[in-house]
Amino acid sequence: MVYGFCDSALPGIKDWDDFKTCWESAKVHFSNTTVVGEYNVTLAERYSIFVLVLDDNITEINALQEEVPLTFSADIIPEGSTPEYGYLPWEISVSLPFSAEICPKFIFSNLAVNFTLQGEQRRPPNAINLKFSISGCGRQTQRISNFTFKGLGYSGLELAFLTLTDSNLLAIEHVSADNTSGLDALNFIEIDVIKSSLSYFGDVTGNIGMSYGLSQYGSRAVASSFVVVDPDEFVANFRWRSPNDFNTYQFSWYGGYPQESGNNSTGFVHIDRSTVEYIRDLDLGSVNVSACTFRPWISKKNPVFSREHARTIPKDPPGIQIYNMEMGLKSRNMLTKGMAASCSQGD
């Protein structure tokens, strides 16, 4: 292990056994309280991002079902610890094989990870969010299959430049001492989500890539479902956002139109044959949508229906926004206020 990242032997992780070893090393790293430097920070606070680097020459890793899920408990990070760069979360990142010329083919199968809380209790309010991320170099050649993720109350998930298939995700936001959430429950950057079930409470974002040389069309969801869950069913004493922040719950999906960039992918559909359940606001920017359903989370637990939230509605009512981002956020070609929407082929 080298502080800040882990690989089994240069140049990177080669198999499932290596991956497990590095996962355990991540736990050792984040629990390290050795003080370094003139600013009296621990090694974990200085190196708040831990990267598991996969060997660029491997084509697959298959997790053994009897050896998953891999777990990471909130109490591994000492209470009161803060990354030296305070604007960053803690992060465990998986870097898939990479080539500057042609993105190598790779598939990771049957991975399962659980980010758990102490006794399923909420994290202390002053705790810093932890992000788990997996980054590839192209959805056409790199795939995560049969992935199971559980982040219960303090871990968000970010996936970038890959394809996710036949997977089950459960992500519940962590709300900090100021009653706000610093991370999306789910954040997707230039990925394809195919035949997967995604359960969440918090914010969801599908976004375009901002990396030089890689695509900037946005993420796609195909034959998949996004379902809002009651966080109290998974996290005891769950901390809700303050009433003043109820109006920030948002499901956002942003893209671009490849045909406008001279690309032949005229049939690029960002949300296709999928179901989206959202808490409050729905924001769709520069996306093609086909044969889908959008619906609000109709539950007495939805804070949108609370008396406290009702006081904010005259100022900022729940809304659905559909627009072309190239026109600028202040020049939206369509603005619809309401709590429900549906779309179908040809709409």
Side-chain angles (χ1 to χ4, degrees), residues 16 19 54 61 63 96 106-111 143-145:
W16 173 240
F19 192 89
L54 274 58
I61 290 181
L96 302 186
F106 176 77
I107 179 171
F108 202 145
S109 302
N110 304 319
L111 176 65
R143 181 157 52 104
I144 306 295
S145 178

Side-chain angles (χ1 to χ4, degrees), residues 78-121:
E79 186 173 345
S81 296
T82 302
E84 183 175 18
Y85 295 96
Y87 57 89
L88 293 175
W90 305 108
E91 181 174 355
I92 297 177
S93 178
V94 179
S95 178
L96 302 186
F98 175 80
S99 170
E101 298 178 355
I102 299 176
C103 184
K105 291 185 177 180
F106 176 77
I107 179 171
F108 202 145
S109 302
N110 304 319
L111 176 65
V113 296
N114 286 2
F115 289 88
T116 62
L117 302 168
Q118 309 98 317
E120 301 306 325
Q121 300 297 307

Side-chain angles (χ1 to χ4, degrees), residues 249-318:
Y249 288 110
Q250 187 163 294
F251 184 101
S252 308
W253 212 264
Y254 307 121
Y257 303 122
Q259 59 270 32
E260 294 183 0
S261 304
N263 188 282
N264 293 325
S265 301
T266 55
F268 195 99
V269 180
H270 298 86
I271 307 178
D272 183 17
R273 291 166 287 145
S274 296
T275 299
V276 173
E277 192 172 51
Y278 56 94
I279 300 172
R280 186 187 190 274
D281 290 346
L282 179 66
D283 203 42
L284 304 177
S286 296
V287 294
N288 291 316
V289 180
S290 176
C292 66
T293 298
F294 295 93
R295 62 170 182 252
W297 184 43
I298 304 297
S299 168
K300 64 181 180 180
K301 299 297 290 292
N302 190 333
V304 170
F305 301 132
S306 69
R307 179 177 301 176
E308 293 83 358
H309 182 267
R311 298 191 181 104
T312 71
I313 288 180
K315 179 181 178 181
D316 186 15

Side-chain angles (χ1 to χ4, degrees), residues 96-97 103-104 106 136-144 161-163:
L96 302 186
C103 184
F106 176 77
C137 53
R139 64 179 121 203
Q140 297 86 357
T141 57
Q142 298 193 329
R143 181 157 52 104
I144 306 295
F161 298 100
L162 54 85
T163 289

Side-chain angles (χ1 to χ4, degrees), residues 32-320:
N32 195 326
T33 57
T34 302
V35 176
V36 295
E38 57 182 312
Y39 297 108
N40 206 35
V41 297
T42 67
L43 280 169
E45 290 174 326
R46 171 149 295 179
Y47 301 103
S48 62
I49 302 174
F50 188 98
V51 185
L52 289 82
V53 182
L54 274 58
D55 190 288
D56 293 337
N57 297 309
I58 63 173
T59 59
E60 65 176 341
I61 290 181
N62 186 9
L64 299 182
Q65 293 187 353
E66 62 271 21
E67 296 180 348
V68 294
L70 302 178
T71 61
F72 190 97
S73 177
D75 57 8
I76 289 174
I77 300 176
E79 186 173 345
S81 296
T82 302
E84 183 175 18
Y85 295 96
Y87 57 89
L88 293 175
W90 305 108
E91 181 174 355
I92 297 177
S93 178
V94 179
S95 178
L96 302 186
F98 175 80
S99 170
E101 298 178 355
I102 299 176
C103 184
K105 291 185 177 180
F106 176 77
I107 179 171
F108 202 145
S109 302
N110 304 319
L111 176 65
V113 296
N114 286 2
F115 289 88
T116 62
L117 302 168
Q118 309 98 317
E120 301 306 325
Q121 300 297 307
R122 71 184 184 198
R123 280 286 274 159
N126 61 342
I128 306 299
N129 286 312
L130 185 145
K131 178 168 70 175
F132 178 62
S133 65
I134 305 177
S135 299
C137 53
R139 64 179 121 203
Q140 297 86 357
T141 57
Q142 298 193 329
R143 181 157 52 104
I144 306 295
S145 178
N146 194 30
F147 174 42
T148 301
F149 172 84
K150 290 183 179 180
L152 302 180
Y154 86 112
S155 174
L157 174 66
E158 179 177 286
L159 302 177
F161 298 100
L162 54 85
T163 289
L164 177 75
T165 64
D166 303 296
S167 297
N168 289 277
L169 313 180
L170 171 61
I172 296 174
E173 70 175 2
H174 164 68
V175 177
S176 60
D178 60 359
N179 292 323
T180 61
S181 176
L183 286 177
D184 287 348
L186 298 170
N187 185 28
F188 302 129
I189 304 170
E190 294 290 325
I191 80 164
D192 287 352
V193 180
I194 300 175
K195 296 181 180 179
S196 295
S197 175
L198 307 97
S199 302
Y200 76 98
F201 188 85
D203 297 326
V204 174
T205 301
N207 219 335
I208 59 175
M210 300 298 288
S211 297
Y212 178 79
L214 298 179
S215 63
Q216 296 185 23
Y217 302 148
S219 291
R220 291 190 288 196
V222 181
S224 296
S225 62
F226 295 84
V227 178
V228 181
V229 297
D230 179 358
D232 283 330
E233 293 184 2
F234 298 93
V235 181
N237 302 311
F238 176 76
R239 178 185 294 275
W240 296 75
R241 299 184 191 181
S242 70
N244 291 334
D245 290 303
F246 286 168
N247 62 349
T248 60
Y249 288 110
Q250 187 163 294
F251 184 101
S252 308
W253 212 264
Y254 307 121
Y257 303 122
Q259 59 270 32
E260 294 183 0
S261 304
N263 188 282
N264 293 325
S265 301
T266 55
F268 195 99
V269 180
H270 298 86
I271 307 178
D272 183 17
R273 291 166 287 145
S274 296
T275 299
V276 173
E277 192 172 51
Y278 56 94
I279 300 172
R280 186 187 190 274
D281 290 346
L282 179 66
D283 203 42
L284 304 177
S286 296
V287 294
N288 291 316
V289 180
S290 176
C292 66
T293 298
F294 295 93
R295 62 170 182 252
W297 184 43
I298 304 297
S299 168
K300 64 181 180 180
K301 299 297 290 292
N302 190 333
V304 170
F305 301 132
S306 69
R307 179 177 301 176
E308 293 83 358
H309 182 267
R311 298 191 181 104
T312 71
I313 288 180
K315 179 181 178 181
D316 186 15
I320 298 169

Side-chain angles (χ1 to χ4, degrees), residues 6-8 12-15 18-19 22 52-55 58 61:
C6 168
D7 51 32
S8 58
I13 293 170
K14 298 181 183 299
D15 55 30
D18 286 349
F19 192 89
C22 277
L52 289 82
V53 182
L54 274 58
D55 190 288
I58 63 173
I61 290 181

